[in-house]
Amino acid sequence: MEQVANYSAIPLALIGFGLTLWQLAKTKRAAEAAQESARSAQVAISRNHLLILIPQLQRIEEELERSVRANSIELTLSWLANWRWQAGQLRGFLLASSYDDEKTMRALQSSIAKAAVARKAIIDSKHGDLLKATRPARDAIAVVTNELGMLAAHQGIKTGGQENGSL
């Protein structure tokens, strides 16, 4: 009897082992599906943030131009700081999403740096010609907003996760 019990335990142990392997494979597939779903959600969130930031940056460009024409030092400083913050956020979203358009990324970084230089020049002079002090920054910002218009159109056309999960 004892020998029969020992021999009958082997097939039951093998069946149990097989069920365990099957459950592990099933769990792995579920985890991979959940991971892919999380990636898709992250891309969608990044894309939505991107589509929100682009019009904000275009508005900042318009308001910066308006403040320079009005010769308002305080507003110009504020809009330049606002550009640096928002453009930095956009750059961060693009980097996080593995966006690889080097031209746009360089233009964004250049506009951020030139906005900082313009702010410093305005603050250091305490008066001066806003038009001249902000010209390089405003030109760099215009390049970025032109690029972002194309990026926004491209992102608006994409559907979630169909292009390797990147922006």
Side-chain angles (χ1 to χ4, degrees):
M1 228 20 187
E2 187 177 315
Q3 211 171 20
V4 170
N6 285 340
Y7 287 121
S8 66
I10 292 174
L12 291 175
L14 288 175
I15 290 171
F17 184 68
L19 284 172
T20 301
L21 289 178
W22 177 73
Q23 282 292 82
L24 283 174
K26 188 176 167 184
T27 302
K28 181 182 176 192
R29 284 190 302 273
E32 288 169 348
Q35 188 176 24
E36 182 58 33
S37 179
R39 258 190 239 115
S40 293
Q42 182 181 17
V43 167
I45 290 168
S46 292
R47 188 171 290 136
N48 288 341
H49 281 293
L50 176 70
L51 292 173
I52 289 168
L53 276 173
I54 290 172
Q56 288 176 350
L57 290 171
Q58 290 168 332
R59 180 174 179 267
I60 292 169
E61 178 189 25
E62 292 168 11
E63 294 297 334
L64 176 60
E65 291 293 334
R66 197 171 284 128
S67 68
V68 168
R69 283 193 309 272
N71 205 32
S72 171
I73 291 173
E74 292 303 316
L75 282 175
T76 300
L77 290 172
S78 177
W79 287 115
L80 286 168
N82 204 338
W83 174 268
R84 289 178 59 215
W85 172 255
Q86 298 292 340
Q89 281 197 340
L90 177 65
R91 190 169 184 276
F93 280 125
L94 293 175
L95 285 172
S97 67
S98 303
Y99 182 73
D100 62 357
D101 184 357
E102 199 172 310
K103 180 181 173 187
T104 301
M105 296 303 280
R106 264 189 270 132
L108 259 172
Q109 185 58 41
S110 174
S111 74
I112 293 166
K114 288 179 180 178
V117 169
R119 284 191 90 238
K120 183 171 177 8
I122 294 166
I123 291 169
D124 288 350
S125 70
K126 298 290 184 201
H127 54 26
D129 184 3
L130 284 182
L131 195 61
K132 182 180 176 184
T134 60
R135 171 66 64 199
R138 290 182 299 117
D139 289 345
I141 288 169
V143 168
V144 170
T145 56
N146 288 338
E147 289 293 317
L148 294 180
M150 290 183 284
L151 179 63
H154 182 68
Q155 292 305 312
I157 292 171
K158 280 187 180 181
T159 56
Q162 288 183 345
E163 296 186 27
N164 295 330
S166 63
L167 294 177

